[in-house]
Amino acid sequence: MQLRIRTPRSRPKRLLAIAGITAATIVLAGCSSGTAAPSSTSPLKIGISLSLTGDFSDSGKAAERGYELWADQANKAGGVLGRKVQLTIHDDASSPDQVVSNYTNLITQDKVDLVFGPYSSLLTVPASRVASRYHYAFIESAGGGPSVFAQKLNNLFFVQPAPTTQGGDVFADYILALPSADRPKTAAYAKLDDPFSAPIADNIRKRFEAAGIKTVYNQTYPAETADMTPIVSGIAAANPDVVVGGTQEADAFAQMKAMIQLKFNPKWLFEANGANSPGDFPAAVGASNTEGVFSSADWYADSTNPASKKFIADYVAKYGGTAQKIDPTSAEAYSAGMLVQAVAAKTGKIDNATIIKTLHSGTWSTLVGDLKWDRNGAPQGAYQLIQWINGTLTTVYPAKGAQHAPVAPKPNWAG
């Protein structure tokens, strides 16, 4: 097992956040901290601030499981360049103020060699600034909002295929690749008033409109909206060929429940989030009502990624449960560690300057796909288009790596 220290910190009021995962390593003599290089047999100390309490605690704990599983597996294989991985984890209570304190203490007091990031963009932004100030690399798996990349930090690397707001681009790619006669002619958009959900639908709308797909309904609703019946009634009255939901989880389920109740079944249905949850989605809408619904993802239990089977086996052996219950956040966090190992294998070194320089060149294989980044840490790939087919989340686009061709029109709701 990996060496692990978990230290509580004081917990000021929480603010919204989204974590990142930082990979920061040994600060060599001459860096701002002046810390001497450790011996080749000393532990590789990695500091992490995670939301183990507060609003983001579910996702924070999922990230924790991914980091710990990676450390276990790395240590079973002899460590990173022969150094055993030691994780030090502080709870940030989902607070941006606390995350700043945690990373400052991890670097200046705990003197960790590397850091991995927290959960959410709002937490990633202040955390990445601390890492930049101390010249630490910041490999982060859960902060992909526009505010993260607007900082223009070259030490930051987001461990997902594309920025969060581009999650629907692959659906637009699929629709616009259809022969013009087979494309939808009309579209409706129902969007949560959320900086990460609404832009996904808006990006699709702009591309569809530019291609001649007419918008017949476009509505943004507040987060407290529980009853989607009025919105879905408006959509049904417009009778669009395709419906795009700019959603999180609960509102996506509410949209589909209203469609089932109103017996409105579009030819294509894309939900930004919710439908990509293999455990929660069938339970929320009924397993027989999942058929034909599209979403996007970077990792899920039936992923075709060649490293996925071992990850699932190791995860279930350590934590129990089933593959379908593994949160993608765990796979994303695990992938942050994979990048550290890959840099070490390629260069024979594992310091921050080497990580930053090396990750800015080439393409890197992880559980969430082959990654490369621009100078600001924004990944340059795309998510996978997934669809529920025969009760299973299935990769359907792009054709390379697809498990099945996309199914359209969408089968009728089972009721």
Coordinates of all heavy atoms in Angstrom, one line a residue, residues 77 87 139 200 213 216 238 263 265 283 378 388 414:
A77 N 4.4 -1.6 -8.2 CA 5.3 -1.8 -9.3 C 6.7 -1.2 -9.0 O 7.6 -1.1 -9.9 CB 4.8 -1.0 -10.6
L87 N 1.2 10.0 -0.3 CA 0.1 11.0 -0.5 C -0.1 11.7 0.9 O -0.3 11.1 1.9 CB -1.2 10.4 -0.9 CG -1.1 9.6 -2.3 CD1 -2.5 9.1 -2.6 CD2 -0.6 10.4 -3.4
I139 N -1.1 19.4 -12.5 CA -1.9 18.4 -13.3 C -3.2 18.3 -12.6 O -3.3 17.8 -11.5 CB -1.2 17.1 -13.4 CG1 0.2 17.2 -14.0 CG2 -2.0 16.1 -14.2 CD1 1.0 15.9 -14.0
I200 N -22.6 24.3 -23.2 CA -22.5 23.0 -24.0 C -23.6 23.1 -25.0 O -23.4 22.8 -26.2 CB -22.6 21.8 -23.0 CG1 -21.4 21.7 -22.1 CG2 -22.8 20.5 -23.9 CD1 -21.5 20.6 -21.1
I213 N -29.9 24.2 -39.4 CA -30.9 23.5 -38.6 C -31.6 24.6 -37.8 O -31.0 25.3 -37.0 CB -30.2 22.5 -37.7 CG1 -29.5 21.4 -38.5 CG2 -31.2 21.9 -36.7 CD1 -28.7 20.4 -37.7
V216 N -36.3 26.1 -33.0 CA -37.7 26.3 -32.8 C -38.1 26.5 -31.3 O -39.2 26.8 -30.9 CB -38.6 25.1 -33.3 CG1 -38.4 25.1 -34.9 CG2 -38.2 23.8 -32.7
A238 N -43.5 22.6 -30.2 CA -42.7 23.0 -31.3 C -42.3 21.8 -32.2 O -41.9 21.9 -33.3 CB -41.4 23.7 -30.8
K263 N -45.4 11.8 -23.5 CA -45.3 11.0 -24.7 C -44.7 11.7 -25.9 O -45.1 11.5 -27.0 CB -46.6 10.4 -25.1 CG -47.2 9.4 -24.0 CD -48.6 8.8 -24.4 CE -49.0 7.8 -23.5 NZ -49.1 8.2 -22.1
N265 N -41.4 12.1 -28.0 CA -40.2 11.3 -28.3 C -39.5 11.9 -29.5 O -39.8 11.7 -30.7 CB -40.6 9.9 -28.6 CG -39.3 9.0 -28.6 OD1 -38.6 8.8 -27.7 ND2 -39.1 8.4 -29.8
A283 N -31.8 4.0 -13.0 CA -32.6 4.0 -11.8 C -33.6 5.2 -11.8 O -34.7 5.1 -11.3 CB -31.7 4.0 -10.6
A378 N -5.3 23.9 -21.8 CA -6.5 23.4 -22.4 C -6.3 22.2 -23.2 O -5.5 22.3 -24.2 CB -7.2 24.5 -23.1
W388 N -27.1 5.0 -25.2 CA -27.7 3.8 -24.6 C -28.2 2.9 -25.6 O -29.2 3.2 -26.3 CB -28.7 4.2 -23.6 CG -28.1 4.8 -22.3 CD1 -27.8 6.1 -22.1 CD2 -27.8 4.1 -21.1 NE1 -27.3 6.2 -20.8 CE2 -27.2 5.0 -20.2 CE3 -27.8 2.7 -20.8 CZ2 -26.8 4.6 -19.0 CZ3 -27.4 2.4 -19.5 CH2 -26.9 3.3 -18.6
A414 N -40.6 3.7 -23.3 CA -41.3 2.5 -22.9 C -42.5 2.8 -22.0 O -43.4 2.0 -21.8 CB -40.4 1.5 -22.1

